[in-house]
Amino acid sequence: MTVCLLLLSVVALTAAVPAPRALVRALWPEREPVVALWVWQCLVATVLMCCLTALVLGAAAVFHTVRDRVFAPAPPAVTAAYDLSAAPAWADALTVLLACGAAWTTAMLARELVEARRRRGQTRAHLRERAPELPAGLPAARGPMLVLEDEYPDAWWMPGHPAQLVVTTGALHRLTDHQLDAVLTHERGHARAHHDWLLHLSSALATGFPRVPLFSHFCDQTHRLVELAADDAASRRCGHLTTALALIELNQHRGVLSCASSRRLLGERVDRLLEPPPRLLRRQRALTTTVAALVPLLPLLITFAPGLTALG
């Protein structure tokens, strides 16, 4: 068991510190934002899986009740292979620390979901106030698209039930038909990929563990990569130039080409659309996706290895 805990700690630390720093410095995620998002999720899953399996092993070593439940269906040889009675002294402290971390993670996720639901409710109430009144006898607009009378050009996808695409009349007046199609495709790309859930997860982990490099980088890169992925969805349908012009028209009043840090991403997105980087080869994309998907299985392999060896 001691070897399992040490190996799980090594894998978790590697995935939490050097791996995300190397991924941030890499250039290929800008070329393949969807694949990069998948790699980030797999790194997070690896760390969480290491913590979960280490927590189960530690709890089984410390508490006989947990041990009886976990190893109840296992043959005696499997239980003996883990040598739970000879657990090191630091296993107790590690188990308590992991249990506190699991409780804190759950609390942060619940807090993020509650806050997101509250913000969504406030936004919907505000939109109901701004939405134009319909003639008597017509039902309230609950379709997939809501048009607001506002000279301020804007468009965004509002998740929830029902999900709605909100567009202002300022955007309709400023954008051409093709540019509007690019904006709608961009927002639908967010909706189809459920980027809102990914943003909630990354924000909750970064808020709960701000000093863990993986979670802080995961939050920053997720906000960036989801926009690049949606830009790619729009450019594949409507063209790179049309999507870039639509982005400029929607954000020109915000200073899309300024050097302010809050606007820098918009400028990078425009530059990327005007000079699109070459995509990775299909074989490279498949290899990267497959390897990333296998990494979260490493903690399971480490955990089950003693039992499988005993059975073999």
Side-chain angles (χ1 to χ4, degrees):
M1 175 189 166
T2 303
V3 176
C4 289
L5 291 178
L6 290 175
L7 289 177
L8 289 172
S9 300
V10 170
V11 173
L13 290 175
T14 303
V17 181
R21 289 175 177 170
L23 189 56
V24 168
R25 291 193 297 266
L27 299 178
W28 69 264
E30 184 177 349
R31 302 165 61 184
E32 294 292 343
V34 174
V35 178
L37 282 171
W38 174 250
V39 173
W40 279 107
Q41 293 175 74
C42 290
L43 281 178
V44 172
T46 301
V47 172
L48 296 180
M49 189 64 69
C50 285
C51 294
L52 179 61
T53 52
L55 175 60
V56 172
L57 287 178
V62 176
F63 303 104
H64 290 281
T65 304
V66 177
R67 183 187 310 177
D68 294 339
R69 290 184 177 273
V70 171
F71 290 92
V78 173
T79 306
Y82 286 92
D83 197 13
L84 298 174
S85 59
W90 49 266
D92 296 0
L94 179 63
T95 302
V96 173
L97 180 63
L98 291 174
C100 292
W104 184 247
T105 302
T106 303
M108 290 295 100
L109 290 173
R111 175 179 175 271
E112 178 66 25
L113 293 178
V114 170
E115 285 294 316
R117 185 174 182 179
R118 183 186 61 82
R119 290 192 299 266
R120 204 158 47 229
Q122 292 178 344
T123 303
R124 288 187 180 277
H126 181 60
L127 291 179
R128 281 195 296 269
E129 295 176 359
R130 292 178 58 192
E133 295 184 1
L134 299 177
L138 292 179
R142 294 182 62 84
M145 185 171 178
L146 177 64
V147 178
L148 296 180
E149 292 183 358
D150 193 340
E151 63 180 7
Y152 188 84
D154 207 354
W156 71 94
W157 184 268
M158 185 171 58
H161 301 284
Q164 283 187 313
L165 177 63
V166 183
V167 182
T168 64
T169 53
L172 297 178
H173 292 154
R174 176 167 293 190
L175 300 176
T176 65
D177 291 342
H178 292 296
Q179 291 172 357
L180 181 61
D181 189 24
V183 172
L184 300 183
T185 304
H186 174 100
E187 298 302 333
R188 290 193 186 104
H190 285 311
R192 281 195 298 268
H194 299 287
H195 286 161
D196 55 319
W197 288 102
L198 196 55
L199 293 172
H200 292 325
L201 173 63
S202 63
S203 297
L205 293 175
T207 302
F209 304 93
R211 295 193 176 183
V212 177
L214 172 62
F215 296 150
S216 58
H217 288 314
F218 178 48
C219 183
D220 295 338
Q221 292 300 311
T222 297
H223 282 78
R224 176 175 177 267
L225 292 173
V226 295
E227 295 299 334
L228 299 185
D231 287 343
D232 288 347
S235 63
R236 282 194 295 268
R237 175 183 173 90
C238 306
H240 291 89
L241 180 58
T242 300
T243 305
L245 292 176
L247 187 62
I248 292 174
E249 289 294 336
L250 274 184
N251 296 279
Q252 197 170 25
H253 55 285
R254 299 188 180 107
V256 62
L257 300 180
S258 69
C259 295
S261 59
S262 59
R263 312 298 179 211
R264 192 172 301 157
L265 177 58
L266 291 172
E268 292 177 359
R269 290 167 58 192
V270 171
D271 292 339
R272 180 175 178 272
L273 287 168
L274 294 178
E275 296 182 5
R279 299 191 64 185
L280 298 179
L281 298 177
R282 181 175 299 180
R283 181 174 57 185
Q284 293 174 317
R285 295 198 300 270
L287 180 61
T288 304
T289 303
T290 303
V291 172
L294 293 176
V295 171
L297 300 180
L298 188 57
L300 296 178
L301 179 62
I302 294 173
T303 303
F304 289 111
L308 295 176
T309 302
L311 291 176

